[in-house]
Amino acid sequence: MSSTASTDGAHRPRARGSREPHAPHSPGAHARAGRGPRDEDTPEPPAGDTPGAPAPRALETRGIEPVPPGERRARTRGLFPTWVAANITVLLLTMGASLSVAFRLNIWQALVVGVAAPAVSYGLVGLVGIAGKRGGAPGMALSRAVFGQRGNLLPGSLIWVARWGWETINAVTGAYALLTVLDILFGVRSGTVLVVAALLLFVVATFAISGLGIGAVRRCAKWATYLFGVFSVLVLGHLVGDTDWGRVFAQPAGPTALMVTGVGLIAAGGMSWVPSSPDFTRYLPRTASSVAIVRNTVGGAMIVVLPLILMGAVMAVSTPDLASAPDPVSFLGEVLPLWMAVPYLLIALVGMLLINAMSMYSAGFTAQTLGLKVPRHWAVSVNAAISLVLGGVLMLVATSFLSSFLAFLSLLAVAFSAWVGVFGADMLRRPAYDGEALLDTTRTSAYWYRGGFSPAAVLAWAAGLGSGVLFTTSDWFSGPLASGNPVGEYGLGWVATAAVSFLLYVVLPKPAVRGPADSAEEATTMAV
């Protein structure tokens, strides 16, 4: 079928309603299209060995359209440094300190939290990432197959807005790190002008990386992984020599309920990456191992989250103010020796820069699925401008940085979990995505359903979102069921959200899954 594509990747048929007859499916169709029915654990081809594949570009120009098979040459092992970089944040040190000070957990309980939280949240990140190799498109583009072309605007809008807050928190933390480095090295005290300048510099650098695209993100993530390893050795040596381990191990165990709450709180941060996971797996070949996707995702996150949580819990024994510091970056810069403070702050700066770059990279796709008709790298600039404005407000007006962060995090997890429940349930029944239908935003799309909406998906999403809000409490909002029950008291509103959305979508009647044989153009059907 002849068609043209708009700037945002929306597919526009020339003759509305004039679909060609469906191509007959034959056993050799997949082989002809270069998609043989190989086993999930088939070894991946070395990067760059695909005949006729284009050379890597410095600027990624591809938007939400599915990646052609010839360009899908990534390796699952590349996901490991990607998710290492996504977690290099000093906020995990602060949250580890909160486990010790606010939640009264001992070092062994903090160890359990540090293992369980990334296993749960990044396990989901890895599982949803499998959809990326199935469809070769970003997460919010694949979401059109689940919610319908118009229905997808509902969760897409909420997730896009939630990313504003996430990117603002990251930008503020990075700006604080830059200000503290200037203070330590040159004695420059921060004022309003310098605060704004530091924030602007950080946001511009973030935009540069995310605007260049997946190649720049991967290269930076690789080097960030090496830097984090060096930093971890330095901090570990400092802690071994200067910590009163007797006090650390003498701390009594805290309530089990608070340990569960700690798992939920830290896992909530990882949940924010679930809708973005296919964005980083869409360049994997369809034969990539699903097990390897999950393993490298969880492993990359775990190797960062666990040590930072434990370091924070240990440091809080001698410096309990870390848990409530209004500027945790500056606070840690003051308590660490000079030889360690500078590399620590530089690592913090690089880490937050990459986290924000990854988030803005995904936000650009989300903006395109919402109808923003500009190239991907310019769609990223919208989120950059928003994080600059909101970051300035948070740095100049907010009185408690950690309080603002935790309050936002609890609501953020609910917003993302409603989508996760529905999309995850749909993955169990959908082994393929129709690439043509994903881009066709007109009534002729196979994903138009009823008036552009999938009633089952939209209803399950809304019900899950409402249920989660009822159980959620924060400094900004407290639901009517936030106390008097384990879900509310343990801070597991986001778990209730995902569970309700998942179960309701499973039982509701849904449109039939559109398979590869139903595609008008076999080459555009994204199959496993």
Side-chain angles (χ1 to χ4, degrees):
M1 181 170 66
S2 297
S3 60
T4 58
S6 63
T7 307
D8 67 342
H11 188 280
R12 306 292 182 189
R14 289 181 178 174
R16 183 171 173 179
S18 60
R19 277 192 179 274
E20 295 179 3
H22 291 166
H25 182 64
S26 65
H30 284 292
R32 289 193 301 271
R35 297 190 296 274
R38 297 165 64 187
D39 186 81
E40 286 288 320
D41 293 320
T42 301
E44 302 164 32
D49 71 347
T50 305
R57 298 177 179 177
L59 175 65
E60 182 186 10
T61 57
R62 185 168 301 284
I64 62 174
E65 66 274 14
V67 179
E71 295 182 26
R72 298 176 64 173
R73 299 173 297 167
R75 309 292 294 272
T76 54
R77 66 189 181 193
L79 295 172
F80 188 90
T82 297
W83 296 112
V84 168
N87 286 279
I88 302 177
T89 168
V90 296
L91 294 176
L92 285 172
L93 285 172
T94 306
M95 296 174 76
S98 296
L99 295 179
S100 176
V101 177
F103 292 9
R104 305 188 305 279
L105 304 184
N106 63 20
I107 187 64
W108 304 115
Q109 290 175 311
L111 175 63
V112 172
V113 172
V115 171
V120 170
S121 57
Y122 285 92
L124 290 173
V125 172
L127 289 172
V128 172
I130 295 171
K133 68 126 178 181
R134 288 179 179 177
M140 293 314 298
L142 298 175
S143 182
R144 288 173 167 177
V146 184
F147 289 88
Q149 293 290 357
R150 288 179 174 173
N152 192 52
L153 299 177
L154 298 174
S157 298
L158 186 59
I159 288 174
W160 191 46
V161 171
R163 290 209 174 279
W164 299 352
W166 185 243
E167 291 157 10
T168 297
I169 294 291
N170 294 334
V172 168
T173 307
Y176 275 141
L178 180 58
L179 291 171
T180 306
V181 168
L182 293 175
D183 185 19
I184 292 176
L185 295 181
F186 307 107
V188 178
R189 294 293 177 179
S190 62
T192 301
V193 174
L194 192 57
V195 165
V196 174
L199 183 63
L200 177 62
L201 181 61
F202 183 87
V203 171
V204 169
T206 298
F207 170 68
I209 296 174
S210 56
L212 286 173
I214 191 66
V217 170
R218 286 174 179 163
R219 286 191 292 271
C220 292
K222 179 180 179 180
W223 287 105
T225 301
Y226 296 148
L227 290 174
F228 174 75
V230 174
F231 161 71
S232 298
V233 172
L234 291 175
V235 173
L236 181 61
H238 173 69
L239 291 178
V240 169
D242 291 6
T243 298
D244 184 349
W245 291 100
R247 289 181 58 192
V248 171
F249 291 114
Q251 184 171 347
T256 302
L258 291 179
M259 187 170 68
V260 175
T261 302
V263 172
L265 179 64
I266 295 172
M271 289 295 295
S272 67
W273 288 112
V274 179
S276 302
S277 184
D279 305 358
F280 302 101
T281 57
R282 67 191 188 123
Y283 281 94
L284 291 172
R286 297 182 187 92
T287 54
S289 168
S290 297
V291 173
I293 291 174
V294 177
R295 181 179 63 244
N296 283 288
T297 300
V298 174
M302 182 81 72
I303 203 171
V304 182
V305 174
L306 177 58
L308 286 180
I309 290 295
L310 292 179
M311 289 176 190
V314 169
M315 293 175 71
V317 173
S318 57
T319 55
D321 290 342
L322 171 61
S324 58
D327 175 3
V329 178
S330 298
F331 181 85
L332 285 170
E334 293 172 0
V335 299
L336 291 175
L338 181 62
W339 64 270
M340 183 181 296
V342 172
Y344 148 73
L345 291 168
L346 291 176
I347 289 293
L349 184 61
V350 171
M352 298 311 300
L353 186 66
L354 286 176
I355 291 174
N356 238 26
M358 290 175 63
S359 181
M360 286 190 182
Y361 175 74
S362 293
F365 295 129
T366 303
Q368 287 184 315
T369 62
L370 295 178
L372 190 61
K373 298 181 179 180
V374 296
R376 181 199 59 80
H377 49 284
W378 288 117
V380 169
S381 67
V382 176
N383 274 57
I386 292 172
S387 65
L388 179 62
V389 174
L390 296 181
V393 172
L394 185 58
M395 295 183 76
L396 299 174
V397 177
T399 57
S400 175
F401 177 80
L402 183 61
S403 176
S404 300
F405 171 67
L406 296 180
F408 169 73
L409 200 60
S410 61
L411 297 177
L412 175 73
V414 172
F416 284 88
S417 297
W419 180 90
V420 171
V422 176
F423 191 87
D426 188 80
M427 283 184 63
L428 298 179
R429 73 187 194 104
R430 189 184 303 276
Y433 295 88
D434 184 339
E436 177 189 357
L438 287 175
L439 301 181
D440 183 0
T441 57
T442 70
R443 295 177 184 273
T444 62
S445 174
Y447 299 142
W448 187 255
Y449 303 130
R450 295 184 183 177
F453 296 83
S454 170
V458 173
L459 179 59
W461 172 79
L465 186 64
S467 300
V469 170
L470 293 178
F471 288 102
T472 300
T473 182
S474 71
D475 290 350
W476 304 336
F477 172 84
S478 183
L481 300 179
S483 60
N485 63 85
V487 175
E489 292 180 353
Y490 294 174
L492 300 178
W494 63 271
V495 177
T497 301
V500 170
S501 297
F502 182 94
L503 295 174
L504 192 56
Y505 184 75
V506 167
V507 301
L508 287 174
K510 295 169 284 293
V513 172
R514 181 177 175 82
D518 298 323
S519 177
E521 295 179 23
E522 173 89 6
T524 62
T525 299
M526 300 290 100
V528 175

